[in-house]
PDB file of all heavy atoms in Angstrom:
ATOM      1  N   ASP A   1     -17.861 -14.211  24.239  1.00  0.00           N
ATOM      2  CA  ASP A   1     -18.572 -15.092  25.166  1.00  0.00           C
ATOM      3  C   ASP A   1     -19.883 -15.547  24.629  1.00  0.00           C
ATOM      4  O   ASP A   1     -20.219 -16.725  24.719  1.00  0.00           O
ATOM      5  CB  ASP A   1     -18.771 -14.356  26.541  1.00  0.00           C
ATOM      6  CG  ASP A   1     -19.386 -15.241  27.599  1.00  0.00           C
ATOM      7  OD1 ASP A   1     -18.812 -16.305  27.921  1.00  0.00           O
ATOM      8  OD2 ASP A   1     -20.471 -14.943  28.054  1.00  0.00           O
ATOM      9  N   ALA A   2     -20.644 -14.596  24.030  1.00  0.00           N
ATOM     10  CA  ALA A   2     -21.949 -14.917  23.530  1.00  0.00           C
ATOM     11  C   ALA A   2     -21.936 -15.894  22.347  1.00  0.00           C
ATOM     12  O   ALA A   2     -22.836 -16.669  22.084  1.00  0.00           O
ATOM     13  CB  ALA A   2     -22.691 -13.680  23.068  1.00  0.00           C
ATOM     14  N   THR A   3     -20.824 -15.922  21.542  1.00  0.00           N
ATOM     15  CA  THR A   3     -20.755 -16.750  20.398  1.00  0.00           C
ATOM     16  C   THR A   3     -19.935 -17.988  20.630  1.00  0.00           C
ATOM     17  O   THR A   3     -19.650 -18.795  19.702  1.00  0.00           O
ATOM     18  CB  THR A   3     -20.063 -15.980  19.237  1.00  0.00           C
ATOM     19  OG1 THR A   3     -18.807 -15.461  19.587  1.00  0.00           O
ATOM     20  CG2 THR A   3     -20.900 -14.759  18.807  1.00  0.00           C
ATOM     21  N   ARG A   4     -19.550 -18.248  21.855  1.00  0.00           N
ATOM     22  CA  ARG A   4     -18.782 -19.457  22.188  1.00  0.00           C
ATOM     23  C   ARG A   4     -19.553 -20.740  21.799  1.00  0.00           C
ATOM     24  O   ARG A   4     -20.714 -20.851  22.083  1.00  0.00           O
ATOM     25  CB  ARG A   4     -18.422 -19.459  23.648  1.00  0.00           C
ATOM     26  CG  ARG A   4     -17.378 -20.541  24.039  1.00  0.00           C
ATOM     27  CD  ARG A   4     -17.143 -20.472  25.552  1.00  0.00           C
ATOM     28  NE  ARG A   4     -16.853 -19.132  26.046  1.00  0.00           N
ATOM     29  CZ  ARG A   4     -15.673 -18.507  25.971  1.00  0.00           C
ATOM     30  NH1 ARG A   4     -14.649 -19.238  25.460  1.00  0.00           N
ATOM     31  NH2 ARG A   4     -15.471 -17.322  26.463  1.00  0.00           N
ATOM     32  N   GLY A   5     -18.865 -21.620  21.081  1.00  0.00           N
ATOM     33  CA  GLY A   5     -19.471 -22.905  20.778  1.00  0.00           C
ATOM     34  C   GLY A   5     -20.302 -22.828  19.509  1.00  0.00           C
ATOM     35  O   GLY A   5     -20.915 -23.918  19.119  1.00  0.00           O
ATOM     36  N   ARG A   6     -20.335 -21.751  18.744  1.00  0.00           N
ATOM     37  CA  ARG A   6     -21.076 -21.696  17.514  1.00  0.00           C
ATOM     38  C   ARG A   6     -20.107 -21.195  16.413  1.00  0.00           C
ATOM     39  O   ARG A   6     -19.111 -20.533  16.619  1.00  0.00           O
ATOM     40  CB  ARG A   6     -22.217 -20.719  17.585  1.00  0.00           C
ATOM     41  CG  ARG A   6     -21.844 -19.271  17.903  1.00  0.00           C
ATOM     42  CD  ARG A   6     -23.089 -18.366  17.836  1.00  0.00           C
ATOM     43  NE  ARG A   6     -23.800 -18.547  16.577  1.00  0.00           N
ATOM     44  CZ  ARG A   6     -25.143 -18.614  16.445  1.00  0.00           C
ATOM     45  NH1 ARG A   6     -25.894 -18.514  17.560  1.00  0.00           N
ATOM     46  NH2 ARG A   6     -25.710 -18.735  15.334  1.00  0.00           N
ATOM     47  N   THR A   7     -20.442 -21.557  15.127  1.00  0.00           N
ATOM     48  CA  THR A   7     -19.610 -21.174  14.008  1.00  0.00           C
ATOM     49  C   THR A   7     -19.739 -19.681  13.783  1.00  0.00           C
ATOM     50  O   THR A   7     -20.824 -19.199  13.455  1.00  0.00           O
ATOM     51  CB  THR A   7     -20.007 -21.932  12.735  1.00  0.00           C
ATOM     52  OG1 THR A   7     -19.849 -23.352  13.025  1.00  0.00           O
ATOM     53  CG2 THR A   7     -19.048 -21.593  11.579  1.00  0.00           C
ATOM     54  N   THR A   8     -18.644 -18.911  13.936  1.00  0.00           N
ATOM     55  CA  THR A   8     -18.680 -17.462  13.813  1.00  0.00           C
ATOM     56  C   THR A   8     -17.444 -16.981  12.982  1.00  0.00           C
ATOM     57  O   THR A   8     -16.371 -17.522  13.167  1.00  0.00           O
ATOM     58  CB  THR A   8     -18.604 -16.816  15.211  1.00  0.00           C
ATOM     59  OG1 THR A   8     -19.665 -17.352  16.008  1.00  0.00           O
ATOM     60  CG2 THR A   8     -18.758 -15.319  15.129  1.00  0.00           C
ATOM     61  N   VAL A   9     -17.665 -16.093  12.033  1.00  0.00           N
ATOM     62  CA  VAL A   9     -16.623 -15.465  11.296  1.00  0.00           C
ATOM     63  C   VAL A   9     -16.608 -14.035  11.727  1.00  0.00           C
ATOM     64  O   VAL A   9     -17.577 -13.231  11.490  1.00  0.00           O
ATOM     65  CB  VAL A   9     -16.812 -15.587   9.784  1.00  0.00           C
ATOM     66  CG1 VAL A   9     -15.620 -14.943   9.085  1.00  0.00           C
ATOM     67  CG2 VAL A   9     -16.891 -17.072   9.384  1.00  0.00           C
ATOM     68  N   LEU A  10     -15.551 -13.580  12.329  1.00  0.00           N
ATOM     69  CA  LEU A  10     -15.473 -12.175  12.870  1.00  0.00           C
ATOM     70  C   LEU A  10     -14.392 -11.439  12.138  1.00  0.00           C
ATOM     71  O   LEU A  10     -13.223 -11.883  11.951  1.00  0.00           O
ATOM     72  CB  LEU A  10     -15.050 -12.312  14.376  1.00  0.00           C
ATOM     73  CG  LEU A  10     -14.562 -11.001  15.059  1.00  0.00           C
ATOM     74  CD1 LEU A  10     -15.665 -10.039  15.192  1.00  0.00           C
ATOM     75  CD2 LEU A  10     -13.957 -11.330  16.463  1.00  0.00           C
ATOM     76  N   VAL A  11     -14.761 -10.242  11.672  1.00  0.00           N
ATOM     77  CA  VAL A  11     -13.800  -9.302  11.036  1.00  0.00           C
ATOM     78  C   VAL A  11     -13.550  -8.206  12.057  1.00  0.00           C
ATOM     79  O   VAL A  11     -14.499  -7.635  12.631  1.00  0.00           O
ATOM     80  CB  VAL A  11     -14.328  -8.663   9.734  1.00  0.00           C
ATOM     81  CG1 VAL A  11     -13.529  -7.463   9.395  1.00  0.00           C
ATOM     82  CG2 VAL A  11     -14.371  -9.678   8.600  1.00  0.00           C
ATOM     83  N   THR A  12     -12.284  -7.962  12.384  1.00  0.00           N
ATOM     84  CA  THR A  12     -12.007  -6.946  13.405  1.00  0.00           C
ATOM     85  C   THR A  12     -10.604  -6.374  13.237  1.00  0.00           C
ATOM     86  O   THR A  12      -9.687  -7.082  12.643  1.00  0.00           O
ATOM     87  CB  THR A  12     -12.079  -7.591  14.825  1.00  0.00           C
ATOM     88  OG1 THR A  12     -11.778  -6.601  15.823  1.00  0.00           O
ATOM     89  CG2 THR A  12     -11.104  -8.730  15.024  1.00  0.00           C
ATOM     90  N   HIS A  13     -10.414  -5.167  13.655  1.00  0.00           N
ATOM     91  CA  HIS A  13      -9.111  -4.533  13.743  1.00  0.00           C
ATOM     92  C   HIS A  13      -8.502  -4.726  15.109  1.00  0.00           C
ATOM     93  O   HIS A  13      -7.282  -4.446  15.367  1.00  0.00           O
ATOM     94  CB  HIS A  13      -9.153  -3.029  13.452  1.00  0.00           C
ATOM     95  CG  HIS A  13      -9.275  -2.707  11.975  1.00  0.00           C
ATOM     96  ND1 HIS A  13     -10.470  -2.414  11.399  1.00  0.00           N
ATOM     97  CD2 HIS A  13      -8.380  -2.656  10.981  1.00  0.00           C
ATOM     98  CE1 HIS A  13     -10.337  -2.183  10.082  1.00  0.00           C
ATOM     99  NE2 HIS A  13      -9.031  -2.336   9.850  1.00  0.00           N
ATOM    100  N   ARG A  14      -9.299  -5.149  16.075  1.00  0.00           N
ATOM    101  CA  ARG A  14      -8.909  -5.272  17.504  1.00  0.00           C
ATOM    102  C   ARG A  14      -8.457  -6.703  17.725  1.00  0.00           C
ATOM    103  O   ARG A  14      -9.202  -7.657  17.474  1.00  0.00           O
ATOM    104  CB  ARG A  14     -10.052  -4.912  18.422  1.00  0.00           C
ATOM    105  CG  ARG A  14     -10.636  -3.523  18.162  1.00  0.00           C
ATOM    106  CD  ARG A  14     -11.796  -3.263  19.072  1.00  0.00           C
ATOM    107  NE  ARG A  14     -11.375  -3.215  20.440  1.00  0.00           N
ATOM    108  CZ  ARG A  14     -10.845  -2.199  21.030  1.00  0.00           C
ATOM    109  NH1 ARG A  14     -10.607  -1.092  20.338  1.00  0.00           N
ATOM    110  NH2 ARG A  14     -10.457  -2.249  22.333  1.00  0.00           N
ATOM    111  N   LEU A  15      -7.257  -6.882  18.270  1.00  0.00           N
ATOM    112  CA  LEU A  15      -6.714  -8.240  18.444  1.00  0.00           C
ATOM    113  C   LEU A  15      -6.925  -8.748  19.930  1.00  0.00           C
ATOM    114  O   LEU A  15      -6.757  -9.908  20.189  1.00  0.00           O
ATOM    115  CB  LEU A  15      -5.246  -8.288  18.133  1.00  0.00           C
ATOM    116  CG  LEU A  15      -4.819  -7.759  16.757  1.00  0.00           C
ATOM    117  CD1 LEU A  15      -3.342  -8.038  16.538  1.00  0.00           C
ATOM    118  CD2 LEU A  15      -5.718  -8.371  15.682  1.00  0.00           C
ATOM    119  N   ARG A  16      -7.263  -7.850  20.848  1.00  0.00           N
ATOM    120  CA  ARG A  16      -7.477  -8.211  22.195  1.00  0.00           C
ATOM    121  C   ARG A  16      -8.624  -9.226  22.313  1.00  0.00           C
ATOM    122  O   ARG A  16      -9.711  -9.037  21.843  1.00  0.00           O
ATOM    123  CB  ARG A  16      -7.799  -7.009  23.106  1.00  0.00           C
ATOM    124  CG  ARG A  16      -7.699  -7.282  24.576  1.00  0.00           C
ATOM    125  CD  ARG A  16      -7.761  -6.060  25.383  1.00  0.00           C
ATOM    126  NE  ARG A  16      -7.554  -6.218  26.750  1.00  0.00           N
ATOM    127  CZ  ARG A  16      -7.569  -5.254  27.661  1.00  0.00           C
ATOM    128  NH1 ARG A  16      -7.799  -4.016  27.294  1.00  0.00           N
ATOM    129  NH2 ARG A  16      -7.388  -5.532  28.958  1.00  0.00           N
ATOM    130  N   GLY A  17      -8.358 -10.357  22.934  1.00  0.00           N
ATOM    131  CA  GLY A  17      -9.311 -11.414  23.104  1.00  0.00           C
ATOM    132  C   GLY A  17      -9.280 -12.538  22.049  1.00  0.00           C
ATOM    133  O   GLY A  17      -9.903 -13.516  22.153  1.00  0.00           O
ATOM    134  N   LEU A  18      -8.501 -12.291  20.971  1.00  0.00           N
ATOM    135  CA  LEU A  18      -8.447 -13.299  19.923  1.00  0.00           C
ATOM    136  C   LEU A  18      -7.717 -14.552  20.234  1.00  0.00           C
ATOM    137  O   LEU A  18      -7.776 -15.575  19.525  1.00  0.00           O
ATOM    138  CB  LEU A  18      -7.822 -12.680  18.595  1.00  0.00           C
ATOM    139  CG  LEU A  18      -8.692 -11.520  17.986  1.00  0.00           C
ATOM    140  CD1 LEU A  18      -8.109 -11.211  16.581  1.00  0.00           C
ATOM    141  CD2 LEU A  18     -10.137 -11.890  17.912  1.00  0.00           C
ATOM    142  N   GLU A  19      -7.087 -14.586  21.454  1.00  0.00           N
ATOM    143  CA  GLU A  19      -6.471 -15.842  21.915  1.00  0.00           C
ATOM    144  C   GLU A  19      -7.629 -16.890  22.122  1.00  0.00           C
ATOM    145  O   GLU A  19      -7.302 -18.095  22.288  1.00  0.00           O
ATOM    146  CB  GLU A  19      -5.623 -15.642  23.145  1.00  0.00           C
ATOM    147  CG  GLU A  19      -6.359 -15.187  24.391  1.00  0.00           C
ATOM    148  CD  GLU A  19      -6.515 -13.647  24.429  1.00  0.00           C
ATOM    149  OE1 GLU A  19      -6.154 -12.972  23.405  1.00  0.00           O
ATOM    150  OE2 GLU A  19      -6.985 -13.168  25.453  1.00  0.00           O
ATOM    151  N   GLN A  20      -8.862 -16.452  22.195  1.00  0.00           N
ATOM    152  CA  GLN A  20      -9.951 -17.379  22.465  1.00  0.00           C
ATOM    153  C   GLN A  20     -10.470 -18.035  21.175  1.00  0.00           C
ATOM    154  O   GLN A  20     -11.204 -19.030  21.257  1.00  0.00           O
ATOM    155  CB  GLN A  20     -11.113 -16.621  23.094  1.00  0.00           C
ATOM    156  CG  GLN A  20     -10.791 -15.948  24.412  1.00  0.00           C
ATOM    157  CD  GLN A  20     -11.982 -15.199  25.011  1.00  0.00           C
ATOM    158  OE1 GLN A  20     -13.081 -15.720  25.015  1.00  0.00           O
ATOM    159  NE2 GLN A  20     -11.738 -13.989  25.381  1.00  0.00           N
ATOM    160  N   VAL A  21     -10.129 -17.515  19.987  1.00  0.00           N
ATOM    161  CA  VAL A  21     -10.720 -18.074  18.778  1.00  0.00           C
ATOM    162  C   VAL A  21      -9.931 -19.299  18.293  1.00  0.00           C
ATOM    163  O   VAL A  21      -8.756 -19.482  18.636  1.00  0.00           O
ATOM    164  CB  VAL A  21     -10.853 -16.991  17.679  1.00  0.00           C
ATOM    165  CG1 VAL A  21     -11.585 -15.774  18.238  1.00  0.00           C
ATOM    166  CG2 VAL A  21      -9.475 -16.611  17.137  1.00  0.00           C
ATOM    167  N   ASP A  22     -10.572 -20.075  17.426  1.00  0.00           N
ATOM    168  CA  ASP A  22      -9.948 -21.361  16.903  1.00  0.00           C
ATOM    169  C   ASP A  22      -8.884 -21.046  15.857  1.00  0.00           C
ATOM    170  O   ASP A  22      -7.840 -21.689  15.850  1.00  0.00           O
ATOM    171  CB  ASP A  22     -10.982 -22.211  16.289  1.00  0.00           C
ATOM    172  CG  ASP A  22     -12.019 -22.652  17.335  1.00  0.00           C
ATOM    173  OD1 ASP A  22     -11.568 -23.151  18.328  1.00  0.00           O
ATOM    174  OD2 ASP A  22     -13.192 -22.549  17.067  1.00  0.00           O
ATOM    175  N   GLU A  23      -9.145 -20.022  15.008  1.00  0.00           N
ATOM    176  CA  GLU A  23      -8.171 -19.778  13.930  1.00  0.00           C
ATOM    177  C   GLU A  23      -8.253 -18.285  13.524  1.00  0.00           C
ATOM    178  O   GLU A  23      -9.374 -17.700  13.510  1.00  0.00           O
ATOM    179  CB  GLU A  23      -8.389 -20.639  12.713  1.00  0.00           C
ATOM    180  CG  GLU A  23      -7.335 -20.395  11.614  1.00  0.00           C
ATOM    181  CD  GLU A  23      -7.564 -21.334  10.389  1.00  0.00           C
ATOM    182  OE1 GLU A  23      -8.619 -21.691  10.088  1.00  0.00           O
ATOM    183  OE2 GLU A  23      -6.475 -21.624   9.749  1.00  0.00           O
ATOM    184  N   ILE A  24      -7.120 -17.718  13.273  1.00  0.00           N
ATOM    185  CA  ILE A  24      -7.042 -16.302  12.768  1.00  0.00           C
ATOM    186  C   ILE A  24      -6.460 -16.334  11.395  1.00  0.00           C
ATOM    187  O   ILE A  24      -5.478 -17.022  11.099  1.00  0.00           O
ATOM    188  CB  ILE A  24      -6.090 -15.482  13.705  1.00  0.00           C
ATOM    189  CG1 ILE A  24      -6.673 -15.416  15.126  1.00  0.00           C
ATOM    190  CG2 ILE A  24      -5.964 -14.046  13.162  1.00  0.00           C
ATOM    191  CD1 ILE A  24      -5.683 -15.027  16.190  1.00  0.00           C
ATOM    192  N   VAL A  25      -7.178 -15.618  10.449  1.00  0.00           N
ATOM    193  CA  VAL A  25      -6.672 -15.521   9.108  1.00  0.00           C
ATOM    194  C   VAL A  25      -6.335 -14.035   8.827  1.00  0.00           C
ATOM    195  O   VAL A  25      -7.133 -13.127   9.065  1.00  0.00           O
ATOM    196  CB  VAL A  25      -7.784 -15.990   8.122  1.00  0.00           C
ATOM    197  CG1 VAL A  25      -7.317 -15.787   6.646  1.00  0.00           C
ATOM    198  CG2 VAL A  25      -8.184 -17.402   8.388  1.00  0.00           C
ATOM    199  N   VAL A  26      -5.134 -13.805   8.351  1.00  0.00           N
ATOM    200  CA  VAL A  26      -4.692 -12.457   8.009  1.00  0.00           C
ATOM    201  C   VAL A  26      -4.804 -12.236   6.504  1.00  0.00           C
ATOM    202  O   VAL A  26      -4.272 -13.052   5.722  1.00  0.00           O
ATOM    203  CB  VAL A  26      -3.207 -12.257   8.446  1.00  0.00           C
ATOM    204  CG1 VAL A  26      -2.747 -10.823   8.036  1.00  0.00           C
ATOM    205  CG2 VAL A  26      -3.017 -12.452   9.964  1.00  0.00           C
ATOM    206  N   LEU A  27      -5.539 -11.228   6.166  1.00  0.00           N
ATOM    207  CA  LEU A  27      -5.687 -10.800   4.758  1.00  0.00           C
ATOM    208  C   LEU A  27      -4.904  -9.552   4.477  1.00  0.00           C
ATOM    209  O   LEU A  27      -4.981  -8.578   5.243  1.00  0.00           O
ATOM    210  CB  LEU A  27      -7.156 -10.527   4.428  1.00  0.00           C
ATOM    211  CG  LEU A  27      -8.091 -11.696   4.274  1.00  0.00           C
ATOM    212  CD1 LEU A  27      -9.482 -11.211   3.893  1.00  0.00           C
ATOM    213  CD2 LEU A  27      -7.671 -12.668   3.146  1.00  0.00           C
ATOM    214  N   GLU A  28      -4.147  -9.552   3.405  1.00  0.00           N
ATOM    215  CA  GLU A  28      -3.376  -8.386   2.957  1.00  0.00           C
ATOM    216  C   GLU A  28      -3.493  -8.366   1.396  1.00  0.00           C
ATOM    217  O   GLU A  28      -3.131  -9.296   0.756  1.00  0.00           O
ATOM    218  CB  GLU A  28      -1.925  -8.412   3.395  1.00  0.00           C
ATOM    219  CG  GLU A  28      -1.740  -8.366   4.899  1.00  0.00           C
ATOM    220  CD  GLU A  28      -0.267  -8.408   5.307  1.00  0.00           C
ATOM    221  OE1 GLU A  28       0.371  -7.351   5.371  1.00  0.00           O
ATOM    222  OE2 GLU A  28       0.230  -9.523   5.521  1.00  0.00           O
ATOM    223  N   GLY A  29      -3.969  -7.225   0.896  1.00  0.00           N
ATOM    224  CA  GLY A  29      -4.090  -7.155  -0.574  1.00  0.00           C
ATOM    225  C   GLY A  29      -5.008  -8.196  -1.180  1.00  0.00           C
ATOM    226  O   GLY A  29      -4.746  -8.597  -2.331  1.00  0.00           O
ATOM    227  N   GLY A  30      -6.026  -8.586  -0.468  1.00  0.00           N
ATOM    228  CA  GLY A  30      -6.954  -9.607  -1.010  1.00  0.00           C
ATOM    229  C   GLY A  30      -6.419 -11.003  -0.929  1.00  0.00           C
ATOM    230  O   GLY A  30      -7.084 -11.943  -1.420  1.00  0.00           O
ATOM    231  N   ARG A  31      -5.265 -11.273  -0.276  1.00  0.00           N
ATOM    232  CA  ARG A  31      -4.692 -12.590  -0.192  1.00  0.00           C
ATOM    233  C   ARG A  31      -4.472 -12.986   1.264  1.00  0.00           C
ATOM    234  O   ARG A  31      -4.182 -12.165   2.126  1.00  0.00           O
ATOM    235  CB  ARG A  31      -3.407 -12.696  -0.973  1.00  0.00           C
ATOM    236  CG  ARG A  31      -3.547 -12.477  -2.465  1.00  0.00           C
ATOM    237  CD  ARG A  31      -2.261 -12.646  -3.200  1.00  0.00           C
ATOM    238  NE  ARG A  31      -2.397 -12.500  -4.614  1.00  0.00           N
ATOM    239  CZ  ARG A  31      -2.889 -13.421  -5.486  1.00  0.00           C
ATOM    240  NH1 ARG A  31      -3.123 -14.643  -4.986  1.00  0.00           N
ATOM    241  NH2 ARG A  31      -3.010 -13.222  -6.739  1.00  0.00           N
ATOM    242  N   VAL A  32      -4.526 -14.241   1.581  1.00  0.00           N
ATOM    243  CA  VAL A  32      -4.224 -14.781   2.854  1.00  0.00           C
ATOM    244  C   VAL A  32      -2.684 -14.816   3.046  1.00  0.00           C
ATOM    245  O   VAL A  32      -2.006 -15.496   2.244  1.00  0.00           O
ATOM    246  CB  VAL A  32      -4.822 -16.177   3.110  1.00  0.00           C
ATOM    247  CG1 VAL A  32      -4.346 -16.777   4.439  1.00  0.00           C
ATOM    248  CG2 VAL A  32      -6.308 -16.199   2.966  1.00  0.00           C
ATOM    249  N   THR A  33      -2.155 -14.050   4.011  1.00  0.00           N
ATOM    250  CA  THR A  33      -0.760 -14.056   4.179  1.00  0.00           C
ATOM    251  C   THR A  33      -0.297 -14.810   5.442  1.00  0.00           C
ATOM    252  O   THR A  33       0.865 -15.192   5.574  1.00  0.00           O
ATOM    253  CB  THR A  33      -0.237 -12.630   4.253  1.00  0.00           C
ATOM    254  OG1 THR A  33      -0.880 -11.926   5.348  1.00  0.00           O
ATOM    255  CG2 THR A  33      -0.460 -11.907   2.969  1.00  0.00           C
ATOM    256  N   GLN A  34      -1.228 -14.958   6.399  1.00  0.00           N
ATOM    257  CA  GLN A  34      -0.937 -15.710   7.604  1.00  0.00           C
ATOM    258  C   GLN A  34      -2.225 -16.396   8.047  1.00  0.00           C
ATOM    259  O   GLN A  34      -3.287 -15.884   7.813  1.00  0.00           O
ATOM    260  CB  GLN A  34      -0.440 -14.794   8.735  1.00  0.00           C
ATOM    261  CG  GLN A  34       0.913 -14.184   8.558  1.00  0.00           C
ATOM    262  CD  GLN A  34       1.295 -13.294   9.709  1.00  0.00           C
ATOM    263  OE1 GLN A  34       0.741 -12.241   9.887  1.00  0.00           O
ATOM    264  NE2 GLN A  34       2.213 -13.811  10.486  1.00  0.00           N
TER     265      GLN A  34
END
């Protein structure tokens, strides 16, 4: 809520609430897989 409308890069293990973000990037072994 506090970061809404601003450019933010979030690293997290928790997926709850991520339906609110613009894009999700999955990293595995140093590479983007999804």
Side-chain angles (χ1 to χ4, degrees):
D1 183 60
T3 58
R4 193 181 308 277
R6 63 175 304 139
T7 303
T8 306
V9 181
L10 167 68
V11 165
T12 181
H13 282 101
R14 305 176 63 82
L15 306 188
R16 193 170 186 179
L18 294 192
E19 64 274 8
Q20 300 178 48
V21 307
D22 297 310
E23 184 178 29
I24 298 162
V25 177
V26 179
L27 285 180
E28 296 180 88
R31 296 183 178 277
V32 176
T33 57
Q34 292 181 286

